[in-house]
Amino acid sequence: MSSDFFTPVSGMDLPRFAGVPTFMRLPHIELADPRLAEVDIGLIGVPWDSGTTNRPGPRHGPRQLRDASTMIRAQNGATGVRPFERVNCADLGDVGPNPADIIDSMDRITAFYNTVLDAGVVPLTAGGDHLTSLPVLRSVARKGAVGMIHFDSHTDLFHSYFGGTMYTHGTPFRRAVEDGLLDPKRVVQIGIRGTAYDDEDIDFAKAEGIRIIRIEEFFARGIADVMGEAREIVGTGDTYVSYDIDFVDPTFAPGTGTPEVGGPNSFQALQVVRELEGVAIVGADMVEVSPPFDQAGGTAFLGVSVMFELLCVMAGVKAG
Ligand code: MN
Ligand code: MN
């Protein structure tokens, strides 16, 4: 029955290095295309890094991730899942940001996602820096707060930067909690590590009931145990999954702006996503891939490999 679904171009028909790159070689369907109504999961690029406070570059992420994604085949080697035969997947293109205006960019992103959600499509985003998640959540959580499983070496829960700047890639989830987009008691942050300015973000998390699983606890307990707790925290309700590539050790993912050593390897980076099976995922993102710092291209390839794992579990949820 696979012919009922949008099918990626197979490397057996056209070599994977040939052709115009779309996410995972899927059809590109613009928002105005009537086929949008047939899409179950939409892969969307947000080439935007105006929230970056240190080394920039994620605005170039979607293009690099599309190119790297042509390496992805149709079947998951670990789980056997063939997501493109379970649900309809398509590349919905990029949101055009305004690189000179953060507020306008966020409004454009939310408007784009509102159209996507109105069509019944579950979004899988390629960022973009981590501020991207905020305007996406404004759409995904427009009918009520959602839970979140967040992989990152940082909490991104800071109040502000530079004496009062509220919108940076270090603040999206503080804003999301304040604005009622996230239910803090259904939020878990995994992989937190690195040097710190202070405990301001951690104190906020404690006060709100956000569960932080630092990397020391992650390695002491192991993936299955930690992810079991994560699934319990979010429960059966609607859940967003946000994946900052700097969750992964910079040995495996050097192409990012704010690397922190002492993190998971690339196998563990994939395995945590496989443990999301059954979570009611209403949207997910892969953010902070920065091609200018990704000299060998391995970070982008890991990024799209994580996106494929996300797509496999999301397809299971959508297919029911
Ligand atoms: Mn982040
Ligand atoms: Mn981070």
Side-chain angles (χ1 to χ4, degrees):
M1 296 299 283
S2 60
S3 59
D4 291 337
F5 294 107
F6 297 140
T7 309
V9 177
S10 171
M12 296 293 189
D13 297 328
L14 181 70
R16 288 181 283 163
F17 51 81
V20 178
T22 58
F23 283 122
M24 300 181 199
R25 312 190 86 195
L26 288 159
H28 174 208
I29 293 181
E30 310 233 20
L31 293 197
D33 190 318
R35 290 179 297 167
L36 181 66
E38 300 170 37
V39 178
D40 296 304
I41 299 174
L43 289 82
I44 301 166
V46 183
W48 182 55
D49 58 15
S50 301
T52 301
T53 57
N54 193 349
R55 306 190 305 171
R59 68 179 59 186
H60 303 294
R63 187 165 285 178
Q64 188 75 13
L65 288 160
R66 277 194 180 86
D67 190 9
S69 79
T70 61
M71 292 291 285
I72 301 287
R73 304 180 187 87
Q75 179 168 308
N76 188 312
T79 65
V81 170
R82 297 177 65 85
F84 308 116
E85 295 175 13
R86 301 194 74 182
V87 293
N88 252 340
C89 304
D91 185 335
L92 304 186
D94 282 347
V95 183
N98 175 349
D101 189 324
I102 284 183
I103 302 297
D104 182 39
S105 292
M106 290 197 291
D107 289 345
R108 291 170 188 230
I109 294 165
T110 302
F112 187 104
Y113 279 75
N114 282 343
T115 302
V116 168
L117 266 75
D118 285 344
V121 180
V122 177
L124 173 54
T125 300
D129 70 43
H130 221 151
L131 184 56
T132 301
S133 304
L134 179 62
V136 172
L137 278 168
R138 285 176 175 165
S139 182
V140 168
R142 59 193 173 160
K143 290 179 181 153
V146 297
M148 180 173 72
I149 298 178
H150 173 202
F151 302 102
D152 204 323
S153 58
H154 315 98
T155 66
D156 298 344
L157 284 173
F158 285 95
H159 175 268
S160 56
Y161 277 56
F162 314 117
T165 297
M166 307 304 276
Y167 298 108
T168 80
H169 67 161
T171 65
F173 303 123
R174 182 71 160 258
R175 297 290 90 77
V177 170
E178 289 170 350
D179 295 347
L181 306 173
L182 289 173
D183 174 359
K185 305 220 165 19
R186 293 185 55 237
V187 172
V188 54
Q189 303 186 300
I190 302 169
I192 307 305
R193 62 185 184 273
T195 56
Y197 292 109
D198 52 38
D199 284 330
E200 195 256 337
D201 56 331
I202 307 294
D203 292 342
F204 175 79
K206 281 181 185 157
E208 295 287 339
I210 292 172
R211 171 75 165 112
I212 291 176
I213 300 177
R214 289 186 52 88
I215 199 66
E216 296 82 7
E217 181 179 354
F218 176 86
F219 280 120
R221 291 173 57 191
I223 289 175
D225 192 29
V226 163
M227 293 310 297
E229 183 188 347
R231 289 193 303 269
E232 267 178 40
I233 289 169
V234 296
T236 56
D238 288 354
T239 300
Y240 191 76
V241 178
S242 194
Y243 200 123
D244 184 327
I245 196 67
D246 73 32
F247 168 71
V248 187
D249 192 275
T251 301
F252 301 91
T256 194
T258 321
E260 307 291 353
V261 297
N265 63 28
S266 53
F267 172 78
Q268 293 159 331
L270 303 176
Q271 192 64 22
V272 292
V273 180
R274 293 173 191 145
E275 291 278 347
L276 297 174
E277 190 73 48
V279 174
I281 301 172
V282 291
D285 63 46
M286 159 54 60
V287 296
E288 298 286 356
V289 172
S290 180
F293 293 98
D294 189 20
Q295 297 305 318
T299 309
F301 185 54
L302 179 57
V304 292
S305 299
V306 168
M307 286 178 70
F308 181 73
E309 295 291 342
L310 285 164
L311 188 62
C312 288
V313 291
M314 292 164 76
V317 172
K318 191 80 181 176

